[in-house]
Amino acid sequence: MPFLHLPVLAATTGAPAAGDAIHEVILKLAGVDYLILGIYFAFVLAIGWILRKYLKTSADFFESGRSLPAWVCALGFIGANLGAQEVIGMAASGAKYGIATSHFYWIGAIPAMVFVGVFMMPFYYGSKARSVPEYLKLRFDEKTRALNALSFAFMTVFSSGISMHALALLLNSILRWDYNVCIAVSSAIVLIYIVSGGLTSAIYNEVLQFFLIVLGLLPLVLLGLKDIGGWSGLMARLQDYSAAQGMPGAWSHSWAQMGSAKANPMGIEWFGLAMGLGFVLSFGYWCTDFLVIQRAMAAKDMASARRTPLLAAIPKMMFPALVILPGMLAVALLQKHAGFQLPPAADGTPNYNMVVPAMLAQYFPNGMLGIGLTALMASFMSGMAGNVTAFNTVFTYDIYQSYLHPKATDAHLVTVGRVTTVVGLLISVACAYAARQFNNIMDMLQLVFGFVNAPLFAVFLLGMFWRRATGHGAFWGLVLGTLAAMGFQGVTLPVGASAGIKGGWLGAHWFFSSSMAQNFWMAIFAFTGCFVATIVISLATAPNKTDDQLRGLVYSLTERIKDHGTAWYARPATLGVVVLAAALVLNVIFW
């Protein structure tokens, strides 16, 4: 038997009707599937072991010696972002929001990736900063660096723990593997190859994981499209589903229904989408999150560092076809009543988080099932490893060396980095077990990211393009921007939600159609609060950096990079224009 697919709840909204069979999706692996998984784990560990002999300095361990080619860094750049939230979460969002989920890519990623490559990498790479917090120290002051280092360290281990928990929960659900064993095995594998090969090992494994994810998900999409009658059949089913939900065209158009928050399942209008997601959250993540910036900073030279996010943007804009389309296909297959089913969530509605596992069970025989499951595991482990490598770098350089042992030798820093990797994974394990106590842990995670990244982007924007911004302005701007986010969230609430972690804890005075809409507007308030506060406080305080100290850190005081001698098609500005034009075309095609 290629797989065991038990009857599950049919896809309708509302509670299950009497007599409905409610079972879970369970995958039954054969020997060939276990062999494929074993080969993957062997490759992962071998990469770390082989690269171990090349690690001679702390720069090799934490920064890959700044020696990697642009294409490797680019795939690592996008691979580090291909974690659990991307593969499982975007498939679920594709089912819940339809093709509008593409906004997380075509306006929520691509413009920011172009901006970081063209404008921000010269500051990061040229300043020789080893991390984002260290850049903040050079541009502003020590307390701004410390605030960002502590908040980022917390976020990385928390996010790593969530990936670990999600992987263990998924494998326990679909394979009946023991939760504790899944936690132990996944953390041990990540630990071995990071301790052995450092950042270089993590990046090369992210390259491997990138190709595995494509190999595992592409056949799934093609088989689903064939089953539903191609693209035209998919659109016809989604049109029927949209009409049944009282939102005609909402699942098959990306922009057409954004004129009103009531016309689309995201519950957001075009301005909140463009500003909240397209500007604040997008630029806040891609331009300031050291998890992805670290990959570009590992490049062998400035030109390669600038090309890294631009090259990564090319496959990134194609990824909706792999991670969003499965969710859209799931909705269409449920509408077709063709035997495809999803298990129910706690409220009786279909559990869209199980879209990918359910489709693996539906379409993949043994052998292919092993490849699909390996792709899922690769996505989870990629997210874990990316967070852990960012954590050990920030902790070692920005906390340990800065405050605990300023005179530490290079060899000592490498040892601390390895020990920090172990500690980071142990904390991640603790976070994974803590996550079992909450049924809305992903909402909490997104909330924390919104609090931190939105105000941080305001500080970076002012710091890089306004030389009058001061250390006091940046620090208190971050604090007040975070407080603005807390205040906004405290007086708002999604419709139907109870006051608490989702908001309303200061009294629910304004309501949003969805948590997504609330998050977008909260990001706008956090950014605006920080932006205004940083300007006002900077003007009220004396500059703490001279123009000479700011050279290479502020746009107006930095010499423009000359691209003479570089082929026109390899120049960052040219690549940026091409990438933005392609993203614009995709937005128009799927309008």
Side-chain angles (χ1 to χ4, degrees):
M1 178 184 289
F3 51 78
L4 176 62
H5 186 195
L6 298 176
V8 291
L9 178 65
T12 56
T13 57
D20 279 339
I22 303 176
H23 299 287
E24 297 175 326
V25 174
I26 300 177
L27 307 181
K28 187 173 179 63
L29 302 187
V32 64
D33 301 309
Y34 284 108
L35 177 62
I36 292 170
L37 281 171
I39 292 173
Y40 164 67
F41 289 141
F43 264 97
V44 165
L45 296 175
I47 288 173
W49 186 257
I50 291 171
L51 293 173
R52 181 184 179 88
K53 63 182 179 180
Y54 297 104
L55 300 184
K56 296 181 175 62
T57 67
S58 62
D60 294 333
F61 186 83
F62 296 110
E63 305 172 75
S64 295
R66 290 198 168 187
S67 61
L68 302 182
W71 72 271
V72 171
C73 292
L75 291 181
F77 191 91
I78 191 173
N81 185 244
L82 279 175
Q85 298 168 24
E86 182 92 358
V87 176
I88 298 295
M90 286 301 174
S93 294
K96 289 186 244 185
Y97 306 125
I99 205 169
T101 309
S102 63
H103 291 310
F104 285 92
Y105 293 82
W106 299 337
I107 71 164
I110 303 305
M113 293 170 77
V114 171
F115 185 81
V116 74
V118 174
F119 292 104
M120 296 190 76
M121 280 315 301
F123 300 113
Y124 283 135
Y125 197 89
S127 68
K128 301 299 181 182
R130 297 168 297 182
S131 66
V132 169
E134 187 168 32
Y135 172 83
L136 289 174
K137 174 196 172 182
L138 296 173
R139 173 57 186 89
F140 293 112
D141 58 18
E142 191 65 55
K143 64 179 180 294
T144 307
R145 171 204 206 166
L147 179 62
N148 180 243
L150 290 172
S151 62
F152 181 78
F154 166 77
M155 283 198 308
T156 51
V157 292
F158 192 73
S159 180
S160 177
I162 295 305
S163 292
M164 196 180 294
H165 166 68
L167 172 62
L169 203 63
L170 181 68
L171 295 180
N172 175 260
S173 174
I174 64 178
L175 296 176
R176 289 294 183 262
W177 290 358
D178 183 76
Y179 180 92
N180 302 307
V181 172
C182 294
I183 291 284
V185 171
S186 61
S187 57
I189 291 172
V190 171
L191 172 66
I192 291 170
Y193 76 72
I194 293 178
V195 167
S196 300
L199 177 63
T200 306
S201 175
I203 291 177
Y204 276 109
N205 269 301
E206 285 158 2
V207 173
L208 170 65
Q209 287 153 351
F210 170 85
F211 287 111
L212 274 174
I213 291 168
V214 173
L215 183 63
L217 294 182
L218 183 58
L220 201 65
V221 170
L222 296 177
L223 290 170
L225 280 173
K226 180 181 178 182
D227 193 11
I228 203 66
W231 183 257
S232 59
L234 173 62
M235 289 296 103
R237 295 289 179 184
L238 291 179
Q239 289 283 6
D240 292 341
Y241 182 76
S242 301
Q245 303 302 312
M247 300 178 182
W251 268 259
S252 52
H253 296 280
S254 62
W255 283 103
Q257 311 304 318
M258 289 294 167
S260 168
K262 296 180 179 180
N264 64 83
M266 277 191 181
I268 191 73
E269 73 298 328
W270 69 270
F271 179 82
L273 178 74
M275 286 298 297
L277 174 63
F279 181 62
V280 178
L281 288 175
S282 169
F283 281 69
Y285 175 76
W286 291 102
C287 297
T288 69
D289 196 312
F290 185 56
L291 170 64
V292 289
I293 295 298
Q294 186 181 31
R295 274 68 191 154
M297 290 171 70
K300 63 182 179 180
D301 53 39
M302 174 69 81
S304 297
R306 297 182 74 194
R307 284 197 295 269
T308 290
L310 299 172
L311 293 174
I314 296 172
K316 182 71 175 178
M317 74 175 74
M318 300 296 128
F319 255 77
L322 293 179
V323 297
I324 295 174
L325 208 50
M328 297 167 61
L329 286 166
V331 169
L333 290 168
L334 293 168
Q335 283 289 109
K336 185 181 178 183
H337 301 294
F340 176 81
Q341 297 170 318
L342 288 173
D347 60 358
T349 60
N351 183 359
Y352 291 121
N353 289 322
M354 294 296 289
V355 161
V356 175
M359 291 188 71
L360 289 177
Q362 179 82 358
Y363 294 115
F364 277 12
N366 288 120
M368 281 300 296
L369 193 59
I371 294 175
L373 188 60
T374 300
L376 276 182
M377 296 193 71
S379 73
F380 285 95
M381 293 179 64
S382 176
M384 289 165 55
N387 280 290
V388 170
T389 52
F391 171 77
N392 67 25
T393 303
V394 167
F395 180 86
T396 303
Y397 283 150
D398 296 295
I399 297 176
Y400 183 82
Q401 188 182 33
S402 297
Y403 305 111
L404 302 178
H405 197 339
K407 297 181 180 180
T409 64
D410 194 71
H412 182 73
L413 290 178
V414 173
T415 301
V416 171
R418 289 192 165 115
V419 172
T420 301
T421 301
V422 177
V423 173
L425 276 166
L426 289 175
I427 298 173
S428 298
V429 169
C431 290
Y433 281 100
R436 301 183 77 179
Q437 310 303 315
F438 300 92
N439 59 7
N440 56 358
I441 195 67
M442 298 309 292
D443 289 339
M444 179 187 293
L445 183 61
Q446 290 179 349
L447 204 61
V448 172
F449 284 173
F451 283 154
V452 176
N453 285 341
L456 184 60
F457 175 58
V459 163
F460 267 89
L461 197 63
L462 288 170
M464 288 186 169
F465 296 100
W466 187 47
R467 62 182 176 178
R468 183 64 178 79
T470 68
H472 291 315
F475 178 82
W476 289 109
L478 286 174
V479 172
L480 293 174
T482 303
L483 290 175
M486 292 176 63
F488 178 86
Q489 202 246 359
V491 297
T492 61
L493 197 65
V495 172
S498 301
I501 193 172
K502 291 189 176 182
W505 40 274
L506 291 177
H509 301 287
W510 291 274
F511 293 87
F512 289 89
S513 300
S514 69
S515 294
M516 193 73 69
Q518 181 193 29
N519 286 337
F520 290 167
W521 277 102
M522 185 190 74
I524 293 173
F525 271 76
F527 173 86
T528 305
C530 179
F531 193 84
V532 172
T534 302
I535 291 175
V536 172
I537 297 171
S538 292
L539 292 174
T541 55
N544 62 312
K545 297 281 186 179
T546 65
D547 283 357
D548 285 339
Q549 290 175 312
L550 293 178
R551 295 193 192 283
L553 302 172
V554 177
Y555 188 78
S556 61
L557 298 174
T558 301
E559 184 179 354
R560 304 296 176 268
I561 297 175
K562 308 297 183 184
D563 290 322
H564 301 311
T566 304
W568 65 270
Y569 55 82
R571 295 175 183 175
T574 305
L575 281 173
V577 170
V578 171
V579 168
L580 288 176
L584 178 62
V585 169
L586 288 170
N587 274 286
V588 172
I589 290 175
F590 296 98
W591 185 273

